[in-house]
Amino acid sequence: MTITMYGIPNCDTIKKARTWLEGHGVDYAFHNYREQGLEAARLDAWVESLGWEVLLNKSSATFRALSDADKQGLDAAKAKALMLANPTMVKRPVLDLGDRLLVGFKADAYAAALEKA
């Protein structure tokens, strides 16, 4: 099974998740949104699986800096457009385990998910 973590390397939550994975001997690939971008098809699949509400990080500095007009009337299409234009608005990390996705980092959720893998 190939595990891929999506995010940006300087994010504190990403750092905690990476430290946890490495401390538990879990091999993974890291996909840096800033360098590698975020493909529309991948985001579409994530939104289909999880819902845009789970993925859009409304507490991110990037989201908070948006105009009020950009923040209003959010729906799946508008949220996807915002996240594609600014991948740092995607809640981090997104951990792709192949058969399922985890969003955010909680040690117990990682332990439970990887125990099943």
Side-chain angles (χ1 to χ4, degrees), residues 10-73:
N10 62 333
C11 169
D12 288 340
T13 307
I14 291 284
K15 290 175 185 176
K16 290 174 190 174
R18 292 180 86 171
T19 298
W20 190 94
L21 289 172
E22 291 161 9
H24 287 82
V26 178
D27 290 328
Y28 66 95
F30 183 73
H31 181 101
N32 182 342
Y33 293 139
R34 287 208 173 120
E35 293 179 3
Q36 298 167 280
L38 178 61
E39 305 85 22
R42 183 174 314 280
L43 183 59
D44 286 342
W46 290 354
V47 168
E48 179 72 26
S49 175
L50 302 167
W52 66 268
E53 298 91 341
V54 171
L55 292 165
L56 182 63
N57 185 357
K58 292 182 180 179
S59 63
S60 75
T62 307
F63 184 84
R64 290 191 319 262
L66 292 174
S67 70
D68 287 341
D70 284 337
K71 293 177 191 175
Q72 293 176 355

Side-chain angles (χ1 to χ4, degrees), residues 70-112:
D70 284 337
K71 293 177 191 175
Q72 293 176 355
L74 284 174
D75 60 12
K78 189 171 184 178
K80 285 192 290 187
L82 287 170
M83 289 185 280
L84 284 173
N86 303 287
T88 57
M89 281 193 225
V90 177
K91 189 169 183 180
R92 300 177 297 267
V94 175
L95 192 68
D96 186 343
L97 299 171
D99 62 342
R100 63 192 175 280
L101 300 166
L102 297 177
V103 179
F105 172 68
K106 292 188 177 161
D108 57 341
Y110 271 42

